[in-house]
Each structure stands twice: as structure tokens, then as C-alpha cells.
Amino acid sequence: HTINLEYSVNDQDIKELFSEFGPLKSSSVHYDRSGRSLGTADVTYLRKTDATRALKTYNDVPLDGKPMRIELVAEEGPLSGRTGFRSGNSGGSSRGRGNRNNSR
């Protein structure tokens, strides 16, 4: 689960950012009924090790000026080997990962 996301962060941003750690089962930013971002997202990896690496790399790292808060959430049921997290970010206008300043 990722929280504290800048409201301008979209589905493509999340997919691009987190897919560098391994194949994603799914990723999505949460929106309200009017289409405004809620500042949270879910990212589900096929492998728990990929989710753990993403957590260690990006937890508390700013994205668009706001530090992402990431927590692991294990899925239950027949696919319990799959692990994901929800993610979010709060504040700022410049895009960037950590100390990198990427423009989009």
C-alpha cells in the first residue's frame, strides 16, 4: 500500500517507477468519483522479493516532492505467494525519484 502521493502522480507513473524491480501483477492509483487522485496506490508484484526491494528502495523517498509511504500487504487466498503494497506521496511540484530530478 502506498500513501502520501502527490495528486498529479498517475497510473503510468506508478507502473513505470515500480516495474523496475520486477514484473507487476497490477498497479493502480486510487481516484474519487470525480476522477481526482486520492493520493494512494496499490502495486502488486508476482514475487515477494521484488516488493521487498521496492519497499526498501522507495519508502520515504520523494516523488514529485512528497515522500512516499509504503507498506507491504500480503494477498490472501490461492495466490498468497503474490505480495504487493499500496503507495502514496504528498506535496511538491517537481517530479523526481530520490535525489534524481527527472522531468516528465
Side-chain angles (χ1 to χ4, degrees):
H1 180 76
T2 306
I3 58 171
N4 196 37
L5 289 172
E6 170 61 39
Y7 296 113
S8 64
V9 173
N10 61 39
D11 291 322
Q12 184 59 37
D13 295 331
I14 292 297
K15 182 176 181 179
E16 179 182 317
L17 183 69
F18 290 104
S19 65
E20 71 182 78
F21 297 101
L24 302 178
K25 177 184 174 190
S26 64
S27 63
S28 63
V29 173
H30 303 140
Y31 298 94
D32 66 15
R33 290 181 186 171
S34 68
R36 183 174 185 253
S37 172
L38 297 174
T40 62
D42 287 330
V43 177
T44 304
Y45 286 92
L46 294 176
R47 296 182 301 255
K48 183 178 181 179
T49 55
D50 297 336
T52 301
R53 286 187 319 142
L55 170 75
K56 288 179 180 178
T57 302
Y58 283 137
N59 192 43
D60 291 325
V61 172
L63 175 64
D64 291 357
K66 292 178 107 180
M68 293 182 284
R69 307 284 188 240
I70 301 171
E71 72 178 29
L72 289 175
V73 178
E75 291 185 350
E76 299 192 16
L79 301 176
S80 60
R82 295 182 177 170
T83 303
F85 57 83
R86 296 180 181 161
S87 162
N89 180 344
S90 62
S93 59
S94 65
R95 297 240 168 187
R97 299 180 198 169
N99 294 327
R100 293 186 268 176
N101 186 5
N102 298 334
S103 46
R104 301 186 184 191

